[in-house]
Amino acid sequence: MNNLFEKLSVALSPITLLIARVVIGYIMVLHGLQKLTGDMPLFSLFGIGGLIETVGGLLIIVGLFTRAAAFLLAGQMAVAYLMFHASAETFFNPIANKGEPAVLFCMAFLFIFVTGAGKLSIDAKITK
């Protein structure tokens, strides 16, 4: 039975990573566009954050410069948590400080950074 699950997981791994990359990147693009289409000046903290989120999310979706984009976005999400959510009282409770999306995105981007874009990406086509 374990062998069956192992074969299935190996077979589904490229498509699962593609779907995860697209969904995570798409949601990040939406976050970025929300900042860019608001009243935020482009060269403000939120404007630059929106630009990083939009461009980085698009790179994650297509799988181009994926590791670099994921590393940058993971760092941005860590900074977002530290600057806008964490406090001395709620640092270890992202539910209480409403920072769970930043934490989850940070971990998702770290996962993508470590695993790479996968076989179904522009990165994979370039390195062949």
Side-chain angles (χ1 to χ4, degrees):
M1 191 67 139
N2 276 344
N3 198 18
L4 174 65
F5 286 125
E6 187 175 333
K7 287 180 182 179
L8 187 61
S9 69
V10 169
L12 293 176
S13 181
I15 192 74
T16 304
L17 182 54
L18 170 66
I19 293 168
R21 240 188 35 241
V22 169
V23 170
I24 293 165
Y26 176 70
I27 295 170
M28 186 53 50
V29 168
L30 293 178
H31 278 280
L33 289 175
Q34 182 182 27
K35 290 177 182 78
L36 292 177
T37 57
D39 292 336
M40 298 291 163
L42 183 59
F43 293 105
S44 68
L45 187 63
F46 284 102
I48 292 172
L51 192 62
I52 291 170
E53 291 169 1
T54 303
V55 173
L58 290 171
L59 290 172
I60 296 291
I61 289 170
V62 299
L64 179 63
F65 308 120
T66 307
R67 289 183 194 266
F71 185 77
L72 182 65
L73 287 166
Q76 181 188 5
M77 292 297 100
V79 169
Y81 183 76
L82 294 171
M83 285 183 72
F84 302 108
H85 299 285
S87 68
E89 299 83 32
T90 65
F91 186 83
F92 293 107
N93 190 352
I95 303 297
N97 64 32
K98 301 195 182 342
E100 67 271 22
V103 172
L104 288 171
F105 272 120
C106 182
M107 293 297 103
F109 289 126
L110 282 176
F111 181 79
I112 292 170
F113 170 70
V114 170
T115 60
K119 295 177 184 179
L120 304 174
S121 66
I122 296 176
D123 285 342
K125 302 298 179 206
I126 290 172
T127 58
K128 279 191 175 181

